[in-house]
Amino acid sequence: MTEEFHRIRRLPPYVFAEVNQAKAKARGAAEDIVDLGMGNPDSPTPPHIVAKLIEAVQNPDTHGYSASRGIPGLRRALAGYYARRFNVELDPETEVVATLGSKEGLANLSAAISSPGDTILVPNPSYPIHQFGFIIAGASVRSIPHTPDEAMLEALDRAVRHSVPKPTALIVNFPSNPTGLMADLDFYRELVAFAKKHEIYILSDLAYAELYYGARVPPSILQVPGAKDVAVEFTSMSKTYNMAGWRMGFAAGNPKLIAALTRVKSYLDYGAFTPIQVASVAALNGPQDCIDDMRRLYRERRDVLVKGLKQAGWDVPVPEAGMFVWAEIPERFRGLGSVEFSKLLLARAKVAVAPGLGFGEHGDTHVRIAMVENTQRIRQALRGIRGFLQGDNAGPAMEPTAEGAKA
């Protein structure tokens, strides 16, 4: 009775727990912490979406169990979005299923298509559910590079040749959380050809499809002819429409994978509350200027954050997409590792960030900084970071110690 459950034993300690505990302790001491750790949008859901929710919830007919795979109008609305945005035709009956956020969809599809002994190829670093959904399901995970280039394709080739049994599936996530890297259609074409050749499924996480800042527009892997033979793609309302807490997402693509996910979900849930689904239809079919507003907001925050970090002496890349800056730890603190550095930044700069180790061991040289506060608070965070990096509190006492350094 004292032995830990098998699937729980496979999960490592929660990497973000130490930073979260330190953050809670600081706030308990009335310290003003600028929280740039969690990717939780701070803007309200657009008014026309909220209005539709209120209208729908006042109808008692919407108060019962809903449809696990999504009401028909919602699945049609998602298909309409793909047709407008990507010029991809989807059958709402066989190629679309609504999910309780993309995270739930990824986790349940992991359980549906894998079993103990299977091997899954997952980028490292990447969003935690990409690997832990399959680990919880009992599969084994093999890390591959997270860059959409030849290095990733070569690593995939090696992984297939040297994995026994042959990998079942591959996860891709562009624009990437946490790195912000983007893929283009040429890369997706090579990926689809590779998957077809080796009979491997592709699970594409496209949660940040609409959060981009330049002329490059994130494509869908389903734009590649024949991609639906091997690929399914997950999208989300969370970032696009500031609906994170509403928990509404989708899977679209390969009918066999959609059917597997739909069947598993039919045993586990009754779908999202019907008024939320109705409001999601209004989001997808209604005015889209709210997306342009959201994009401008994050672009402004990105520019302020990146410029301020560079002025503080912290050279970081300018993300093309996503809502994060993926920042390499300054050299003199790199020996601490991302968890200890994040705790140090919290204590000395009063800024919370996400340690890169939480996205895979290959992320331990970085921290993820989320653009989830207004520009005034971001400037406050930058003053704290600049004081930390350039002031007295960045002196010898802040250098890595034997206790803090990673082995």
Side-chain angles (χ1 to χ4, degrees):
M1 295 291 288
T2 59
E3 187 175 342
E4 197 161 24
F5 297 113
H6 168 69
R7 296 195 192 283
I8 301 302
R9 285 202 308 269
R10 300 198 73 204
L11 297 175
Y14 187 55
V15 168
F16 304 110
E18 287 188 58
V19 177
N20 289 342
Q21 288 169 6
K23 181 170 60 180
K25 183 177 180 181
R27 284 179 166 163
E31 294 182 23
D32 184 12
I33 303 298
V34 182
D35 192 352
L36 305 180
M38 187 176 179
N40 191 9
D42 63 313
S43 298
T45 305
H48 69 283
I49 302 173
V50 176
K52 179 56 71 172
L53 173 73
I54 294 171
E55 176 190 322
V57 82
Q58 290 174 334
N59 179 357
D61 292 342
T62 67
H63 296 179
Y65 292 128
S66 190
S68 176
R69 66 188 187 122
I71 60 176
L74 180 58
R75 286 181 279 115
R76 287 195 298 269
L78 190 277
Y81 164 77
Y82 262 83
R84 294 190 306 271
R85 173 69 163 80
F86 303 113
N87 197 30
V88 169
E89 297 298 322
L90 293 170
D91 182 345
E93 293 300 315
T94 62
E95 296 177 337
V96 176
V97 60
T99 61
L100 305 179
S102 57
K103 187 175 183 179
E104 175 268 319
L106 281 158
N108 279 328
L109 186 58
S110 300
I113 69 172
S114 62
S115 50
D118 287 349
T119 299
I120 310 297
L121 305 177
V122 180
N124 191 338
S126 70
Y127 187 53
I129 196 63
H130 295 158
Q131 63 170 318
F132 289 113
F134 284 102
I135 288 173
I136 293 170
S140 299
V141 169
R142 178 167 180 155
S143 294
I144 55 172
H146 70 291
T147 52
D149 55 20
E150 282 300 319
M152 184 174 180
L153 293 170
E154 290 170 4
L156 287 173
D157 183 65
R158 288 193 300 272
V160 169
R161 286 189 284 111
H162 298 294
S163 294
V164 179
K166 180 187 71 178
T168 302
L170 157 70
I171 304 287
V172 293
N173 171 215
F174 301 110
S176 167
N177 177 9
T179 68
L181 293 173
M182 289 175 59
D184 57 29
L185 267 180
D186 286 338
F187 176 77
Y188 281 149
R189 287 188 188 97
E190 293 195 60
L191 210 58
V192 168
F194 177 87
K196 286 188 172 186
K197 177 181 177 181
H198 296 286
E199 298 182 322
I200 296 172
Y201 286 117
I202 301 173
L203 279 59
S204 170
D205 183 351
L206 193 61
Y208 294 88
E210 302 302 341
L211 239 178
Y212 57 91
Y213 306 114
R216 292 183 67 196
V217 178
S220 161
I221 196 170
L222 300 182
Q223 289 176 252
V224 177
K228 285 192 286 187
D229 294 341
V230 292
V232 68
E233 189 158 70
F234 291 88
T235 52
S236 170
M237 310 289 284
S238 296
K239 309 304 189 296
T240 304
Y241 298 101
N242 290 316
M243 294 172 64
W246 299 52
R247 307 315 302 136
M248 179 54 63
F250 305 92
N254 180 268
K256 184 176 181 180
L257 294 177
I258 295 298
L261 175 56
T262 300
R263 185 170 182 182
V264 166
K265 280 175 58 60
S266 71
Y267 284 93
L268 299 177
D269 70 69
Y270 286 107
F273 186 37
T274 298
I276 291 177
Q277 297 194 48
V278 171
S280 298
V281 174
L284 290 166
N285 290 345
Q288 302 297 301
D289 53 338
C290 57
I291 298 178
D292 296 326
D293 294 340
M294 174 269 298
R295 211 177 280 134
R296 280 191 293 268
L297 177 71
Y298 281 111
R299 184 188 294 113
E300 180 186 7
R301 293 178 179 184
R302 179 202 66 171
D303 293 345
V304 169
L305 180 59
V306 170
K307 180 180 179 181
L309 290 173
K310 289 180 183 292
Q311 289 175 340
W314 193 350
D315 191 22
V316 300
V318 182
E320 288 186 87
M323 58 191 296
F324 310 106
V325 169
W326 183 238
E328 188 172 22
I329 298 171
E331 186 174 0
R332 70 182 186 274
F333 300 108
R334 209 162 292 160
L336 289 171
S338 61
V339 175
E340 291 302 316
F341 177 73
S342 297
K343 290 162 66 177
L344 192 60
L345 203 62
L346 180 70
R348 301 300 173 132
K350 309 306 177 188
V351 177
V353 298
L357 183 61
F359 306 95
E361 64 274 18
H362 295 171
D364 200 25
T365 56
H366 289 67
V367 293
R368 192 193 72 176
I369 308 174
M371 300 178 281
V372 293
E373 291 274 12
N374 61 44
T375 53
Q376 180 181 344
R377 292 283 284 172
I378 288 174
R379 288 191 173 97
Q380 177 183 333
L382 289 167
R383 288 193 293 272
I385 291 171
R386 184 167 58 248
F388 165 57
L389 293 178
Q390 298 178 356
D392 294 338
N393 58 358
M398 296 298 98
E399 296 295 335
T401 63
E403 291 80 16
K406 289 183 68 65

